[in-house]
Amino acid sequence: MPSAQTLTSQPRYSGVAIALHWLLALMIVAAFGVGTYMADLPLSPTRLKLFNYHKWAGVTILALSALRLLWRLTHTPPADVPMPAWQARAAHATHGLLYGLFFAVPLVGWAYSSAAGFPIVWFGVLPLPDFVPVDKALAEAIKPWHERLAWTMALLVLLHVAGALKHQFVDKDGLIDRMRLARG
């Protein structure tokens, strides 16, 4: 294994990639937190406001995910850090699944909102088209999938964080420095 000294001299992700990573991380954690909190609230102005915030966050996550994917496809990331093959496969699989869920969770939420007859007006200004026609039975069928996919993403995020912490505190290989907000 390389030393932390070796890795800190290796290239980091670009500033745009780092900013998109951390902005999406914050947005996803916030949207998940709001989503789990609001789900059991009784019908009230607060619940309706939180649903709108949650939908706005979801659409923003979708847009930022598209931008992040486009950036990733057009910019070469730093070389992989040497690690056992099974860890590299697990990291690549986790990243691939996370990218898929960055799109699936908001799209399924949008489909649910459309099927339930609740339009999305992004930030209260930009009305978005219905993703599917209004259909209460379809909405009930879609709703649990949004929740299941969100929980799956939450578990994968925890796995991603655990992997990063392992590299930082067990392997001490400096991997986390490649995505750190600021050098220090």
Side-chain angles (χ1 to χ4, degrees), residues 105 108 140-150:
V105 173
V108 171
E140 288 306 311
I142 293 172
K143 184 178 181 180
W145 284 103
H146 181 60
E147 183 178 354
R148 288 177 190 139
L149 290 170

Side-chain angles (χ1 to χ4, degrees), residues 8 104 108 181:
T8 54
V108 171
L181 283 171

Side-chain angles (χ1 to χ4, degrees), residues 9 22 25 36 43 66 128 134 150 154 175:
S9 63
W22 289 109
T36 55
L43 186 60
L128 300 180
V134 175
L175 176 77

